């Protein structure tokens, strides 16, 4: 089950100084979130538990791509 960036609650995502939205050829979604500048990263998402199978372990992954010349993720 995959959730697009638009389906997440991302702090400051509606502020162009911090985030921009665009398409990307490597993405299966029509829009991706581009982080421009931020002091902290806060993303939250929810899915309906009825979509999940009972007695099954699940794992969550944050999938992202770094631009060349990035910094600050040490």
């Amino acid at each position: 089950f995959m959730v697009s960036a638009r389906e997440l609650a991302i702090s400051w995502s509606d502020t162009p100084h911090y985030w921009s939205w665009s398409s990307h050829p490597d993405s299966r979604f029509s829009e991706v979130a581009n982080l421009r500048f931020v002091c902290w990263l806060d993303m939250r998402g929810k899915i309906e538990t009825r979509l999940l199978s009972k007695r099954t372990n699940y794992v969550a992954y944050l999938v992202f791509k770094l631009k060349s010349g990035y910094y600050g993720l040490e």
Side-chain angles (χ1 to χ4, degrees):
F1 188 80
M2 295 188 74
V3 178
S4 73
R6 280 288 188 192
E7 296 176 79
L8 297 174
I10 303 173
S11 294
W12 303 99
S13 65
D14 58 345
T15 307
H17 178 73
Y18 300 113
W19 292 91
S20 65
W21 294 87
S22 65
S23 62
H24 194 284
D26 292 341
S27 178
R28 66 180 64 209
F29 299 108
S30 60
E31 282 186 300
V32 297
N34 299 294
L35 178 60
R36 299 172 140 220
F37 174 81
V38 73
C39 296
W40 74 92
L41 189 58
D42 182 31
M43 297 181 184
R44 298 166 193 242
K46 291 183 180 183
I47 60 170
E48 294 289 332
T49 56
R50 62 186 160 158
L51 299 174
L52 305 176
S53 299
K54 293 180 181 180
R55 293 181 290 284
T56 302
N57 293 324
Y58 289 89
V59 178
Y61 294 95
L62 175 63
V63 179
F64 61 95
K65 187 172 189 174
L66 298 172
K67 288 178 112 177
S68 60
Y70 75 92
Y71 67 94
L73 291 176
E74 291 80 21

